[in-house]
Amino acid sequence: NVRYKDGLGTYVTGIIARDGTSGTQTGIAPDATLMCIKVLGDDGMGNLDSFISGIEFSAEHGADVINLSLGSSFPNNKTNTLYRTIFTNLLELDILGVAAAGNDKDKIKKFPVPKNINAPASCPPAWIHPDQQSVMGGTSSIISVGAIDNYDRTTYFSSVGPVTWLGSEWDDYSYDK
């Protein structure tokens, strides 16, 4: 499968850092220096150990932003807790995490909001100041990124949120319609 062999991260890297030398389009950060780390196999599959190793390598080698073009559709609470701890720690080191929300909008009936966002994109902040309660989602340990079409509308496949952590060990982030 060429998509996995070449990697979605390669495509996203072009969106982020292309500098216009191969055409007329530039990315959102054309002067960025990239550190590309592959944590998934050619089949698009991976494990938590390689994921964590990639994050640690990035942090140890001076990353300012870690972009993850990947996610777990249905992680367990232990994995979610680990993701949240990792990205809260990164934020404390002034390293911003960005992750794909996922491509599971078609599963929204089976996994409705707030469970439609993939992890680690579903990681909220460690704590929300009471003054921020009226703007839920205004701060996060990770930025969740969805897909848009040519008309700046959410694509038919992009996962949608927000997420909730009620019932977790933090029990601090809720979503009310």
Side-chain angles (χ1 to χ4, degrees):
N1 186 331
V2 175
R3 176 176 174 245
Y4 289 123
K5 185 176 181 217
D6 293 338
L8 179 62
T10 305
Y11 180 79
V12 172
T13 299
I15 293 171
I16 295 170
R18 82 177 138 228
D19 64 6
T21 57
S22 63
T24 58
Q25 296 182 356
T26 59
I28 60 170
D31 295 325
T33 299
L34 300 176
M35 178 187 335
C36 300
I37 300 166
K38 184 174 180 173
V39 298
L40 301 179
D42 287 346
D43 61 355
M45 303 302 288
N47 61 50
L48 203 49
D49 289 338
S50 64
F51 174 83
I52 292 170
S53 293
I55 297 292
E56 288 174 345
F57 183 91
S58 300
E60 291 166 0
H61 288 83
D64 296 315
V65 177
I66 297 176
N67 180 71
L68 300 157
S69 301
L70 53 79
S72 300
S73 297
F74 313 107
N76 59 38
N77 285 337
K78 183 178 178 183
T79 303
N80 271 338
T81 298
L82 179 62
Y83 284 148
R84 182 168 180 178
T85 300
I86 289 168
F87 286 98
T88 298
N89 291 342
L90 286 174
L91 192 59
E92 289 175 7
L93 295 171
D94 291 328
I95 300 171
L96 180 63
V98 181
N103 299 327
D104 296 322
K105 191 172 184 180
D106 63 329
K107 298 178 183 83
I108 201 159
K109 288 183 182 175
K110 188 173 182 182
F111 300 98
V113 171
K115 297 178 181 176
N116 194 247
I117 301 288
N118 289 352
S122 61
C123 293
W127 180 75
I128 295 177
H129 189 278
D131 292 345
Q132 292 177 300
Q133 292 298 320
S134 63
V135 289
M136 292 301 250
T139 183
S140 182
S141 61
I142 194 161
I143 295 174
S144 177
V145 179
I148 58 171
D149 63 18
N150 292 337
Y151 303 100
D152 287 334
R153 295 182 300 220
T154 304
T155 61
Y156 68 91
F157 57 83
S158 186
S159 293
V160 294
V163 298
T164 182
W165 280 69
L166 289 178
S168 74
E169 68 182 73
W170 289 278
D171 201 31
D172 62 356
Y173 188 85
S174 63
Y175 170 67
D176 261 350
K177 273 192 165 184

